Amino acid sequence: AQTVTQSQPEMSVQEAETVTLSCTYDTSESDYYLFWYKQPPSRQMILVIRQEAYKQQNATENRFSVNFQKAAKSFSLKISDSQLGDAAMYFCALHRDSNYQLIWGAGTKLIIKP
Amino acid sequence: GAVVSQHPSRVICKSGTSVKIECRSLDFQATTMFWYRQFPKQSLMLMATSNEGSKATYEQGVEKDKFLINHASLTLSTLTVTSAHPEDSSFYICSARSPYILDEQFFGPGTRLTVL
């Protein structure tokens, strides 16, 4: 069975500091995608960053970057220079290629302290 | 690009009535659409996967007679909650997938259903 685990229900960080959100997963497939989604209070799901498993290079999108450790099945998200607008629920998700479904983690609530 | 809309954004209905929620892909053709349910402070729970022109595939534990899903065109899927009861109150989210756009799911803004 494929699973995604986010062990941090809540994290807080001072504005302008850096925070890392953890995600581990389990899959028997060799080719897959991993995603981080942000869900602000509006509840609109917003894609933050994606990583193809076959790519060794870690994905980066401006202040957001991942640390993808395929052998360890770890996919953490680093947010640099945290801003008040980054406050949201963050969900890690694994894309199941066979039927295009997403397997979701439980989420991490990120609080930004001004 | 890749915008998904949902209508209505919020609906309140009486117990025993049926409610229809629409999910539209505005600027792309969605071969597959997904319906999720999200309880407060929880993750998304996949209810069903629908492919255009075919019957939806429901996840285990989801009543297909209660949650009717229709995906009649490449830009529209509907979820009808039949004979709604207070326990059906929740936040419902749809997403749409196009194999031509990075093989990615694009999410609607969600619909909050309250059953009195």
Side-chain angles (χ1 to χ4, degrees):
Chain A
Q2 296 174 304
T3 59
V4 175
T5 302
Q6 292 179 251
S7 58
Q8 305 156 315
E10 186 174 297
M11 291 282 285
S12 63
V13 63
Q14 205 72 35
E15 192 177 3
E17 297 293 307
T18 296
V19 64
T20 298
L21 307 184
S22 301
C23 173
T24 58
Y25 62 94
D26 191 22
T27 180
S28 57
E29 297 186 9
S30 57
D31 194 17
Y32 51 89
Y33 296 89
L34 291 159
F35 302 88
W36 278 99
Y37 281 92
K38 169 185 178 181
Q39 188 180 39
S42 68
R43 303 192 77 170
Q44 169 74 60
M45 296 295 285
I46 301 166
L47 177 65
V48 175
I49 200 164
R50 61 180 273 155
Q51 174 81 43
E52 289 87 344
Y54 65 86
K55 289 187 177 179
Q56 293 185 337
Q57 188 172 6
N58 289 324
T60 299
E61 288 287 341
N62 301 313
R63 297 182 296 107
F64 300 87
S65 61
V66 298
N67 183 2
F68 174 48
Q69 302 289 328
K70 191 172 183 178
K73 294 182 179 176
S74 171
F75 183 61
S76 61
L77 174 69
K78 185 172 84 171
I79 305 174
S80 304
D81 185 25
S82 297
Q83 300 175 0
L84 295 177
D86 295 334
M89 284 292 292
Y90 285 81
F91 293 98
C92 178
L94 168 67
H95 176 270
R96 193 159 73 184
D97 192 53
S98 58
N99 57 11
Y100 309 106
Q101 292 177 353
L102 289 172
I103 311 299
W104 296 88
T108 297
K109 181 179 181 179
L110 179 62
I111 298 168
I112 311 294
K113 298 177 181 177
Chain B
V3 178
V4 176
S5 70
Q6 267 184 256
H7 178 78
S9 58
R10 187 182 293 257
V11 57
I12 301 172
C13 69
K14 293 183 179 179
S15 186
T17 61
S18 294
V19 174
K20 181 185 284 188
I21 302 170
E22 292 187 348
C23 176
R24 293 182 184 272
S25 55
L26 298 185
D27 48 7
F28 67 101
Q29 293 185 328
T31 51
T32 307
M33 287 185 169
F34 304 87
W35 286 96
Y36 296 90
R37 184 172 180 176
Q38 187 179 31
F39 292 102
K41 298 183 180 180
Q42 292 191 24
S43 188
L44 278 69
M45 182 189 78
L46 180 65
M47 299 175 66
T49 302
S50 73
N51 293 297
E52 184 265 339
S54 60
K55 289 185 178 180
T57 302
Y58 290 81
E59 294 300 300
Q60 193 172 10
V62 177
E63 299 176 59
K64 54 183 70 176
D65 292 333
K66 179 164 196 59
F67 298 99
L68 300 179
I69 292 171
N70 183 278
H71 191 166
S73 77
L74 284 172
T75 60
L76 174 64
S77 177
T78 60
L79 166 67
T80 301
V81 183
T82 62
S83 186
H85 290 283
E87 57 265 30
D88 299 324
S89 298
S90 192
F91 193 69
Y92 294 88
I93 303 173
C94 75
S95 70
R97 173 191 166 268
S98 168
Y100 308 109
I101 310 178
L102 297 178
D103 208 12
E104 186 177 314
Q105 287 188 32
F106 300 92
F107 288 83
T111 296
R112 179 173 299 285
L113 170 63
T114 303
V115 185
L116 303 177

